[in-house]
């Protein structure tokens, strides 16, 4: 019987205990779920989140996979003690949550909702309807599990959507581009830019001063990807000059965002506290169980992280 170690946040332990147990029962997999590992060599699988504090994987000599509860794996992918296969979280709850968050924030900017929510001043301005979505080009950088669902949803609302990835991708209704040489053109057409790339050495500071300057004047940035994607001083300068009209930021180089950080008070910045989408135990546990079931049947694991690429 495989032994599965839960090494996630203590606060989520009860929920995962319940959902993983139910998931294994549904899948007909006899697994023993444990919460500590006095004998690490006896552990077959590790369900992992950084909050567990587990950093040294060396003693887990027989572990067949480490299954991350997070979609972003930048804090663990470079861990040299981790020689076991690492999988990342792809889960319907996470995907749906991100689709809703991104769509909501894109629509807020597209429709100019703030003018009516915060600008109620007794003046009737009925002559300024928002343009239709079909006249508002949107670019989504990153066409993975999350970027694809967001790009599709936005295209479904009528936005002309361009997607960008490393390798060629095809997404229905989305103009897909790939590779760094295509980026300038993608940015120059994007009135709203959504960042759903992972944090890797290649994507670090991707949105620097030079690339921010390629965006159409007044463009809006929505970043639920990772803080490292953006050069923060360059973004602040672009916001101050009005070159970038607004930035809705969910993720930051330092989290929690320090109280004195200029983003908090900037009139063109919306800060949300890394809540764009959460891993939800009820759906994430099923994704973990599915992958362990595959391994137990001798099938290849899904969503294996490529250590060289970093995601
Ligand atoms: P995936 O790994 O499925 O997709 C990543 C995408 O980024 C792929 O399309 C990949 O290209 C592309 N990409 C990576 N590197 C480059 C590069 N150098 N140039 C161009 N494209 C690149 O990730 P997910 O969609 O599941 O998640 C994306 C990110 O969202 C996560 O890494 C995490 O940082 C963030 N996230 C944020 C959350 C929040 O609450 N704010 C919640 C969950 C995730 P290719 O297709 O060619 O491989």
């Amino acid at each position: 019987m495989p032994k599965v170690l839960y090494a996630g946040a203590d606060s989520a332990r009860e929920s995962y205990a319940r959902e993983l147990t139910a998931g294994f029962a549904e899948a007909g997999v006899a697994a023993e779920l444990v919460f500590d590992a006095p004998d690490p060599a006896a552990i077959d699988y590790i369900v992992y989140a950084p909050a567990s504090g587990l950093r040294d994987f060396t003693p887990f000599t027989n572990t067949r996979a480490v299954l991350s509860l997070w979609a972003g794996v930048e804090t663990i992918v470079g861990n040299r003690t981790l020689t076991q296969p690492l999988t990342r979280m792809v889960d319907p709850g996470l995907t749906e949550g991100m689709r809703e968050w991104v769509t909501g924030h894109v629509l807020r900017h597209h429709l100019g909702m703030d003018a009516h929510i915060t600008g109620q001043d007794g003046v009737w301005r009925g002559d300024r309807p928002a343009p239709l979505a079909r006249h508002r080009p949107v670019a989504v950088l990153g066409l993975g599990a999350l970027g694809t669902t967001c790009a599709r949803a936005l295209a479904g609302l009528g936005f002309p959507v361009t997607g960008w990835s490393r390798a060629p991708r095809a997404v229905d209704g989305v103009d897909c581009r790939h590779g760094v040489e295509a980026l300038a053109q993608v940015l120059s057409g994007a009135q709203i830019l959504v960042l759903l790339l992972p944090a890797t050495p290649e994507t670090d500071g991707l949105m620097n001063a030079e690339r921010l300057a390629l965006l159409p004047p007044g463009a809006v940035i929505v970043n639920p990807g990772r803080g490292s994607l953006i050069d923060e001083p360059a973004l602040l300068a672009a916001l101050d000059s009005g070159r970038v009209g607004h930035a809705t930021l969910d993720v930051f180089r330092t989290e929690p965002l320090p109280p004195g950080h200029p983003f908090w008070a900037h009139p063109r910045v919306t800060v949300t506290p890394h809540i764009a989408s959460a891993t939800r135990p009820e759906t994430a546990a099923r994704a973990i169980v599915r992958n362990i079931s595959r391994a137990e049947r001798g099938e290849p694991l899904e969503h294996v992280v490529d250590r060289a690429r970093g995601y």
Side-chain angles (χ1 to χ4, degrees):
M1 182 187 301
K3 216 174 227 193
V4 179
L5 173 67
Y6 171 82
D10 280 344
S11 56
R13 176 193 282 224
E14 259 181 50
S15 312
Y16 276 106
R18 186 180 59 246
E19 299 298 340
L20 285 167
T21 304
F24 283 126
E26 279 163 28
V29 174
E32 184 189 353
L33 185 61
V34 296
F35 298 91
D36 56 8
D39 177 12
I43 299 298
D44 295 288
Y45 302 96
I46 301 176
V47 178
Y48 176 80
S52 65
L54 177 57
R55 298 285 178 271
D56 183 7
F57 293 86
T58 321
F60 294 91
T61 46
N62 294 310
T63 296
R64 295 158 62 191
V66 173
L67 301 109
S68 170
L69 287 170
W70 286 19
V73 290
E74 68 277 6
T75 61
I76 187 183
V77 72
N79 185 326
R80 287 172 188 275
T81 71
L82 179 63
T83 52
Q84 301 85 345
L86 170 68
T87 66
R88 43 185 297 284
M89 179 51 64
V90 176
D91 129 60
L94 194 62
T95 308
E96 286 166 37
M98 187 60 82
R99 185 170 67 215
E100 292 170 19
W101 189 90
V102 165
T103 308
H105 284 278
V106 166
L107 283 173
R108 166 195 169 196
H109 294 297
H110 166 61
L111 295 173
M113 287 179 175
D114 290 12
H116 303 289
I117 294 170
T118 61
Q120 198 157 287
D121 56 4
V123 180
W124 186 269
R125 298 181 185 89
D127 57 344
R128 298 178 196 174
L132 291 172
R134 71 166 96 128
H135 298 129
R136 178 90 66 192
V138 176
V140 179
L141 306 193
L143 287 176
L146 302 179
T148 295
T149 191
C150 294
R152 238 186 232 132
L154 293 167
L157 287 169
F159 292 101
V161 179
T162 303
W164 184 72
S165 54
R166 212 161 95 123
R169 303 275 159 213
V171 181
D172 276 353
V174 176
D175 177 14
C176 294
R177 312 289 177 87
H178 68 277
V180 77
E181 53 300 330
L183 185 56
Q185 209 191 346
V186 171
L187 295 176
S188 63
Q191 287 184 21
I192 300 180
L193 177 70
V194 179
L195 302 177
L196 270 167
L197 294 161
T200 69
E202 264 185 53
T203 63
D204 197 297
L206 186 86
M207 291 309 298
N208 55 20
E210 195 187 325
R211 293 208 175 96
L212 289 167
L214 293 170
L215 294 167
V220 166
I221 296 178
V222 176
N223 184 18
R226 279 295 180 261
S228 62
L229 303 175
I230 298 181
D231 175 336
E232 289 187 354
L235 176 60
L236 281 164
L239 287 159
D240 287 340
S241 71
R243 174 87 217 168
V244 170
H246 197 99
T248 293
L249 308 172
D250 185 56
V251 283
F252 305 89
R253 283 186 183 264
T254 306
E255 293 183 12
L257 188 66
H261 195 287
F263 283 155
W264 282 114
H266 202 290
R268 296 179 196 266
V269 175
T270 300
V271 171
T272 62
H274 201 143
I275 43 79
S277 191
T279 303
R280 290 166 168 81
E282 60 280 21
T283 48
R286 279 11 180 227
I288 297 282
V289 166
R290 200 167 45 250
N291 232 351
I292 291 178
S293 308
R294 290 176 65 88
E296 285 299 296
R297 289 194 301 266
E299 294 169 14
L301 290 160
E302 286 181 319
H303 315 305
V304 175
V305 173
D306 180 328
R307 306 293 173 87
R309 288 186 322 189
Y311 70 99

